[in-house]
Amino acid sequence: MAEESINREAFIPYRRSDIIKLCLDDGRLNATEAKKFQDFCEILSSYYHFRFHKTLETIKDNYVPFNPNADVEALVSPSFQEYDEMESTVVDGFKHILERANYIKLPEYAIKQALGQTSLIDLKTEVDFDDFDRVVCYYRGDSYKTVTQKKFFFWKKEKRIDIFERIVLLIKFKEAAHFGANKNKKQKKQELKFIPGKMYLYFYKNIPKLDIDLLFPNVTTSMNWKDRLLFGVPAIGAAIPLILRALPNLLLLIAAILLAINAEPLVEELEVEQSQARNIMPVLVATLSLGMALGGFAFKQYSNYKSKRIKFQKDVTETLFFKNLGNNDSVFQTFIDLAEEEECKEIILVYYHLLTSENKLTPEQLDAQIEAWMQKKLGATINFDIHGPLDNLANIFGKVITNGLSEENVPEIPLLKYDKEGFCNVLPLDDAKKVIDYVWDNAFNYNGIAL
């Protein structure tokens, strides 16, 4: 099985500690500067850990009424207005950390394209999007793999499967009233695999693009035309000899019915002796034999259908079970960690390259330099997101307090600013450490800052 990447993305496929080590091993910092750079990275990471932790707590507090697995209760149930505000807080906050983790939004039309199409699991599927209040889907890693599929007997065929290396799905179901208002939905209410009004999150890896409809908990599956032919043709073939064997008993039963309604001329056309048709015992025996034959055939076909359905469900379950990375509230924690890692890696790379560059750099030049450096050092092709880390550095303000000056007389300055020509300038290591240290010491004064 071969797998290749298609599109360049902003995701940096290395740990933060690896990026720091890569910078230190680059040889542009002497021993003293290297130690200061490590200190800067440590306090910067701590500061962002604090900020993202606050975001996580906000999401968790507002997710309580929507959590299908909640084991705690709110002291006071939220009002309708509070309920809507809490829902928006969860969804907007989650979208924010997904984008900070360098995930890309997948539009709803792309999800619906998967309906009616198959890739690895050959099933006919249906998802009722009318059941949802909200659908949020993000992915990372647009690639493909080549698989070998067995067709008929010994014939094998290679097939290219487009996949999402990581995909996360948030679904908010409509309230219970929606499922009780519609007659068909009301009949299925007891069979729901989800709780109305709750919010479900799923995180998977290596999902074929045309199979993402299988991630929805309200998906219904059925046999496609090929499976129906493979199921129906043998059933018809088995039914024909059964009908031929049961034909005498069937004609006798029909003749008895016709005699009961005084249609004797029609009995003669059936070529059935009227004496047999008027005798109750042959008729009862014929009825019993016919019922057993047809009943046994129907039960066998129903068992075959159930076995086929169980096989389909087993294929889906096994496929998704080994690709599942998290569900519901655990997904929030996972993406907070991912967003924190991505944010810090980007800032560290930007700060390092501006600190060590021999020439002044514009944002565009800096972006190109970082991408070329990553390609040279690691062979990683990245579409680096330059504006995010530049904005973060420009928005971190602190004070550089020197001996003999009081804190009140020292103005706050940013870690990064632009000169008149549009070149980026960062503070030297000593001053940058003092700014971050000042921000960290006054962290609770920044509670109102939106991440």
Side-chain angles (χ1 to χ4, degrees):
M1 179 179 67
E3 185 170 330
E4 295 187 26
S5 177
I6 296 178
N7 298 319
R8 297 169 64 216
E9 295 180 4
F11 174 71
I12 302 172
Y14 296 93
R15 290 177 55 81
R16 174 174 45 192
S17 57
D18 294 330
I19 296 298
I20 295 173
K21 185 177 185 303
L22 198 66
C23 293
L24 295 174
D25 293 343
D26 199 28
R28 298 185 185 182
L29 300 174
N30 59 40
T32 303
E33 292 171 332
K35 179 63 173 64
K36 292 178 181 179
F37 180 74
Q38 285 180 300
D39 294 339
F40 170 80
C41 294
E42 181 180 3
I43 195 168
L44 177 78
S45 299
S46 299
Y47 171 62
Y48 271 91
H49 178 74
F50 167 78
R51 292 179 67 176
F52 277 105
H53 176 74
K54 182 179 180 294
T55 302
L56 175 62
E57 291 301 309
T58 300
I59 292 176
K60 286 166 57 179
D61 287 342
N62 287 274
Y63 183 59
V64 171
F66 310 104
N67 187 355
N69 301 325
D71 54 0
V72 296
E73 296 181 6
L75 287 175
V76 180
S77 297
S79 65
F80 288 114
Q81 181 178 352
E82 291 172 336
Y83 186 86
D84 292 340
E85 290 175 354
M86 294 171 76
E87 178 183 334
S88 296
T89 298
V90 173
V91 174
D92 294 343
F94 190 52
K95 286 181 179 178
H96 184 78
I97 62 175
L98 284 168
E99 291 166 3
R100 289 296 179 96
N102 285 324
Y103 273 62
I104 303 167
K105 185 176 181 180
L106 186 67
E108 189 171 314
Y109 74 84
I111 301 174
K112 292 182 178 180
Q113 283 180 350
L115 298 174
Q117 302 186 60
T118 61
S119 56
L120 288 179
I121 303 177
D122 197 5
L123 280 176
K124 181 181 178 181
T125 58
E126 183 177 352
V127 176
D128 190 352
F129 284 84
D130 188 49
D131 289 347
F132 310 133
D133 272 337
R134 293 178 183 263
V135 176
V136 176
C137 188
Y138 279 72
Y139 73 93
R140 177 180 63 74
D142 184 348
S143 60
Y144 71 90
K145 60 183 178 181
T146 303
V147 299
T148 302
Q149 290 184 317
K150 185 177 180 181
K151 291 296 183 180
F152 300 102
F153 300 102
F154 299 103
W155 180 40
K156 294 182 180 180
K157 180 182 178 182
E158 285 193 347
K159 183 178 181 181
R160 167 176 160 155
I161 305 294
D162 294 322
I163 66 170
F164 294 126
E165 295 174 11
R166 295 290 186 273
I167 187 166
V168 60
L169 180 67
L170 180 150
I171 301 169
K172 166 62 170 58
F173 281 96
K174 291 183 177 179
E175 301 298 327
H178 167 76
F179 299 94
N182 185 289
K183 183 178 179 181
N184 293 328
K185 293 181 181 295
K186 190 174 182 180
Q187 293 174 348
K188 300 177 182 178
K189 192 173 180 181
Q190 302 300 324
E191 304 174 5
L192 296 181
K193 300 176 183 178
F194 53 86
I195 304 173
K198 299 299 182 181
M199 191 180 294
Y200 290 79
L201 290 95
Y202 304 97
F203 185 28
Y204 286 94
K205 65 177 181 179
N206 299 331
I207 296 296
K209 291 183 180 181
L210 298 182
D211 285 343
I212 57 177
D213 48 343
L214 296 173
L215 306 182
F216 289 82
N218 67 334
V219 64
T220 56
T221 59
S222 59
M223 290 185 289
N224 55 32
W225 66 269
K226 183 180 68 175
D227 290 311
R228 289 176 181 176
L229 284 176
L230 293 175
F231 177 79
V233 172
I236 295 172
I240 291 175
L242 174 65
I243 293 174
L244 292 176
R245 289 196 302 269
L247 186 60
N249 291 330
L250 180 61
L251 292 175
L252 182 59
L253 180 59
I254 295 173
I257 295 173
L258 293 175
L259 287 174
I261 60 175
N262 296 320
E264 294 183 7
L266 296 177
V267 175
E268 294 178 358
E269 294 182 9
L270 294 176
E271 298 182 356
V272 175
E273 295 183 9
Q274 293 190 17
S275 59
Q276 284 187 327
R278 295 180 186 278
N279 192 336
I280 190 63
M281 288 305 297
V283 173
L284 288 176
V285 171
T287 302
L288 182 62
S289 299
L290 184 63
M292 291 179 63
L294 295 179
F297 177 77
F299 178 77
K300 180 180 179 182
Q301 295 305 310
Y302 178 75
S303 298
N304 290 339
Y305 171 76
K306 293 292 288 185
S307 298
K308 189 77 172 177
R309 186 176 179 85
I310 290 172
K311 180 182 180 300
F312 284 149
Q313 292 174 341
K314 179 174 179 291
D315 290 342
V316 173
T317 301
E318 287 183 351
T319 299
L320 297 183
F321 178 81
F322 293 105
K323 296 181 179 181
N324 182 265
L325 299 175
N327 295 312
N328 300 329
D329 48 352
S330 66
V331 178
F332 293 129
Q333 180 66 64
T334 298
F335 274 90
I336 283 290
D337 290 341
L338 292 173
E340 181 186 326
E341 275 278 303
E342 287 300 293
E343 199 91 320
C344 290
K345 287 187 288 188
E346 291 173 351
I347 293 175
I348 288 168
L349 282 171
V350 165
Y351 181 80
Y352 171 77
H353 281 274
L354 288 175
L355 180 70
T356 59
S357 177
E358 296 178 357
N359 304 312
K360 290 185 176 182
L361 298 171
T362 63
E364 294 74 20
Q365 292 169 337
L366 176 61
D367 183 87
Q369 179 172 304
I370 293 175
E371 291 177 356
W373 188 79
M374 293 291 288
Q375 177 69 42
K376 177 182 177 181
K377 294 289 184 180
L378 300 169
T381 303
I382 297 171
N383 183 19
F384 191 77
D385 177 19
I386 191 64
H387 297 291
L390 285 176
D391 290 343
N392 284 326
L393 285 169
N395 289 324
I396 297 178
F397 281 78
K399 295 184 178 182
V400 179
I401 302 172
T402 57
N403 295 333
L405 292 176
S406 63
E407 182 176 326
E408 292 77 11
N409 298 325
V410 177
E412 291 187 353
I413 56 175
L415 284 176
L416 177 143
K417 59 183 179 181
Y418 302 92
D419 61 23
K420 295 180 180 180
E421 289 78 25
F423 293 108
C424 308
N425 297 282
V426 292
L427 295 178
L429 280 168
D430 286 330
D431 290 347
K433 285 173 57 181
K434 289 178 181 179
V435 167
I436 291 290
D437 185 57
Y438 174 86
V439 173
W440 181 241
D441 290 340
N442 295 273
F444 285 98
N445 294 332
Y446 286 78
N447 280 348
I449 291 182
L451 294 180

